[in-house]
Amino acid sequence: MHPMSWLNERLGVGATVRGFLDRPVPANIGWLNTLGSATLFLIIVQIVTGIALALFYVPSADHAYASVQNIDALRFGALVRGIHHWSASALVVLIGLHVLRVFFQAAYKYPREVTWVVGAALFAVVLGFAFTGYLLPWDQKAYWATVVGTNVAGSAPIVGSVVIDLLRGGPALTTESLTRFYGIHVWVLPAVLLIGVAIHLFAVIRQGIAAAPRRTPLVADVPGESQRDRYAREYAAEKHDGHPFYLSLLKDAVVSAVILAVVVALALAVGAPLEAQANPNAVGYVPRPEWYFLDMFQLLWYVSGPAEPLVIFLIGSIGFLVFLLVPFIDRGRKRHPRQRPIATALGTASVLGVLLLTAQGAMAPVASTDVAATVNASTLTVAQQAGLKVFQVQGCAACHRLAGQGGTAGPDLTSVASRLSAAQIQQQITSPRDKMPPYADLAPGDMSNLLDFLSTRK
Amino acid sequence: MTSDLVPEPDPQHIEPTSVDAVAPAAGGDGPAVAADRALTTDDAPGAPIVPGSPPAPERRWLRRTFVVRALGGVSAALAAVVAVPVAGLASAPVGGPLRFPLTAGAIPPTLRTTGFTSLGPLESFPVGQPTLVPATVPVTIAGVQQDAQIAVYVVRPHDQSVLIMDIHCTHMGCPISWSQGAKQFLCPCHGGAFAQDGTRVSGPPPRSLDRYQAVIANQEVWMGPLVEES
C-alpha cells in the first residue's frame, strides 16, 4: 500500500488538502498577492533561526555579549545570526508592503474585517519582536537604542513610569531588562504571533482570497440588493472565472525564494552587526534606533515643549487605533483606489510621511561633527582658520550643519553669510532669539575670528 | 423584499460543494447554520450519549446550554487562579507613583540609589571642569538590593561645592557629554543643552539634569540618593 494512502486511510485529510489546493481563486490576483505568503515565510524563517540561536544565547548582562560573540565563532553561527538579523528587517518591509497592498485594494472590506484587524495587531507584534530582539546582543547600539526606545514609551502621560518599570523590569536598563526582553521575545510574542497567524490564515481560507478591485465590477447592480448578497454574487463570478489556488502558489514560491536569496546574501556579505559591549557609562555615544524606528526618533525633533509626551502618545495611540479600525471607518462599497480618493490620499500621505521621516532620520549625522575635515582650509586666512577652530571647539557642529557635517537641531550654516550680515550673526550668537543657547562669554578675539570665518560661508 | 421579484439564487441555500466546504465565500455560513441546527435538535446518528430514552430536544438544548456555560465559568476560574499570580510576578518591578499631570513630561530619573558611595578624593575633580566618573552604587530593583554600574558627572563650580549629575538627558535618556568649549552639557540625540550646574539651557528637555546628593567628607566626594524634585 502506498504510504500516502496508508496515512490518508488513518487521517483522512487527502480530500481537504485537495480541496484546499484546487479551490478556485479569482483570476486577477497577481504578484501583489504574494506579499502575505512572503511575510508568513519570513516568520517561519525567524522562528527556525531564532530557536537555533536560543540554544547558545545567554540572557544575562554578564554573558549575553560573549555568548553572541561565541555564536558568531561557531560553525554556521554567523550565517544563522545574519539570516535572523536581515530576515527581521525583511519581515518589517514585507509586512508593511502587505498592509499597503491590502489597504490600497481595500481588501479589508466585507467580509474580511476581522482578517484586517488581526493582521494589524500582528503588525504591532512584529514591531514588538523587532524592538525586544534588538536589545539581546547587548552591544552599545542595542543598549542605547533601547534606553531611548523605552524612554519614549515611558514618557506616556500618567502610565509612563509603570510602562518603563514593566518594560525594563525596574527603573534602569539592567540585566533584569535583558531577561525580560528575552522572555517577551521568545515566549510571550511568539505565543501571541502564532495565535494571531492562525486566526488570520483561517479567515483568509474561510473567506477566500479577495479579488483585485475592478473599476467596473463583473456583475451588474440589482436594485435593492443587500451588500451581503451583492458581494456573494460578485465573488462567485470572480471565482467562476478564476483558476485553481495551486497555480498562485507558484508565484508565492518564486517571491519567497528571491527574498531568501537576498537575505542569505546579506547575511553572508554583511552579516549581523555587533558593536562594542554595552557600556552604560559611554558618554559621547550617539544612540541610533534601527531603521524601522527612525521615523519615530526623527519625530521627536519636531515635537517638543511641555506637551511633547502627550503629543507623542496621542499620535501613537490614535494612529494605531485608526490603523486597527480601518474597515470600520472606510465602509463604502467601492474598492478601487481611484474610486476611494480620500482613503487613497490619506494612505499615500501616511506612506510619504513615514518615508520622509525615515529618510531624514537616516541622513541625520551621527557623531561626525568634524567640520574641519570637510572645509577647504587652504583658501582661508589665518584669522578665518582660527575662526574655524572656534567653531569646532565650541561644539557648534553639534547643532549646525556646515559643508555637509554636523547636527540638524539648528539651521544649516553652509551658506549663512548669504542670509545674514556679520552683525546679524554676532547678534544671534550672543543673544539668540530662539532655542539656541547664548554664547555671550566668547572671548572677543574668538568672536571676531568666528565671524570672519562664517562670513566666508556663502 | 425585491428578492421575491428578482429570482436570484440565494447563496445561503447553495449546496456546498467539496471546494466550498473548505473555503466558502461570504454567506458560506450556510453549512455552519445547518450544523448548529443539527446539534440543537441533537438527532445526529450514532450511539446515544445518555443511555435510556433520549430527552425531548428542547430539554437537551437547555441542558447543553447549561453545561457549556458552566464549563465557561469553570474555565474562567481556573484561568484566574493561574493568571493572578503570573501577572503579579510579571509586574513585580513596578514601583513608584503614577504621574498624573498629563504634561509632566519626560522620563523618570534613571536610577534610585540607596546609601552613600565614595567617588574619590576631592582634589581629583578640577574646579570648573566636570569630570565623568564611573561608579558602582547600591540600588534596589524589584525589592532586591544589588549593585549597579552607572556613570555620573562630578562638577565643582567652586572650591568647596560639588554637584553630582546624572549623565542621561532628561528628554529621552541619551548620554550627554560635556563640551569644554561651549561650557555646556550637550545631548547628541535631539539637541538638548544644559549649563554646568545642570539647568536646562535649550532644546527639548523638559527639566534640568537629574542630580544625586553630594557630600564632601574627609576630603572625599560621596554620592548619595537621587535628589527628588518636589
Side-chain angles (χ1 to χ4, degrees), chain B residues 49-90:
Chain B
I49 301 163
V50 184
S53 62
E58 183 66 12
R59 264 195 72 199
R60 282 207 166 202
W61 187 85
L62 283 172
R63 185 175 63 182
R64 190 180 50 141
T65 307
F66 173 77
V67 170
V68 166
R69 286 186 186 162
L71 283 173
V74 170
S75 308
L78 295 182
V81 169
V82 181
V84 167
V86 164
L89 174 61

Side-chain angles (χ1 to χ4, degrees), chain A residues 11-170:
Chain A
L11 301 179
V13 292
T16 311
V17 172
R18 275 195 302 280
F20 174 74
L21 290 173
D22 292 346
R23 73 201 162 107
V25 293
N28 67 358
I29 68 171
W31 290 99
L32 288 177
N33 287 75
T34 61
L35 296 167
S37 71
T39 302
L40 178 63
F41 172 71
L42 287 172
I43 286 175
I44 295 168
V45 168
Q46 288 302 76
I47 291 175
V48 173
T49 52
I51 289 172
L53 293 173
L55 298 179
F56 297 94
Y57 176 74
V58 183
S60 141
D62 290 340
H63 302 292
Y65 184 76
S67 73
V68 173
Q69 283 182 314
N70 177 47
I71 289 172
D72 281 352
L74 291 170
R75 181 176 61 205
F76 289 122
L79 176 62
V80 171
R81 198 169 79 84
I83 293 176
H84 199 72
H85 173 86
W86 287 105
S87 172
S89 278
L91 179 53
V92 174
V93 172
L94 262 295
I95 198 171
L97 293 174
H98 178 49
V99 166
L100 292 180
R101 195 277 295 171
V102 174
F103 179 82
F104 284 109
Q105 292 194 347
Y108 49 77
K109 295 199 169 178
Y110 173 85
R112 298 183 179 83
E113 299 94 331
V114 173
T115 323
W116 170 275
V117 172
V118 174
L122 285 171
F123 186 86
V125 169
V126 165
L127 289 184
F129 268 110
F131 184 65
T132 50
Y134 202 64
L135 178 67
L136 302 185
W138 201 249
D139 62 354
Q140 281 285 68
K141 187 169 174 151
Y143 180 88
W144 285 104
T146 309
V147 166
V148 176
T150 47
N151 276 333
V152 174
S155 67
I158 300 177
V159 294
S161 59
V162 172
V163 171
I164 284 233
D165 285 349
L166 275 179
L167 282 173
R168 294 183 179 171

Side-chain angles (χ1 to χ4, degrees), chain B residues 63-206:
Chain B
R63 185 175 63 182
R64 190 180 50 141
T65 307
F66 173 77
V67 170
V68 166
R69 286 186 186 162
L71 283 173
V74 170
S75 308
L78 295 182
V81 169
V82 181
V84 167
V86 164
L89 174 61
S91 61
V94 174
L98 296 179
R99 291 169 301 132
F100 271 93
L102 278 177
T103 57
I107 57 168
T110 46
L111 215 51
R112 290 189 163 76
T113 56
T114 52
F116 279 82
T117 311
S118 173
L119 298 180
L122 181 63
E123 67 262 21
S124 59
F125 305 107
V127 175
Q129 177 161 6
T131 315
L132 181 70
V133 186
T136 306
V137 295
V139 294
T140 305
I141 294 174
V144 180
Q145 182 89 24
Q146 51 192 286
D147 287 340
Q149 301 289 327
I150 68 165
V152 289
Y153 266 112
V154 177
V155 186
R156 276 181 80 188
H158 316 290
D159 192 33
Q160 281 304 310
S161 73
V162 170
L163 301 172
I164 300 176
M165 229 79 75
D166 193 83
I167 62 161
H168 296 92
C169 178
T170 52
H171 178 224
M172 287 299 157
C174 296
I176 51 153
S177 57
W178 175 254
S179 163
Q180 188 60 26
K183 297 257 185 296
Q184 282 173 350
F185 293 103
L186 301 177
C187 177
C189 283
H190 299 101
F194 303 87
Q196 186 180 240
D197 64 355
T199 6
R200 176 191 170 277
V201 176
S202 71

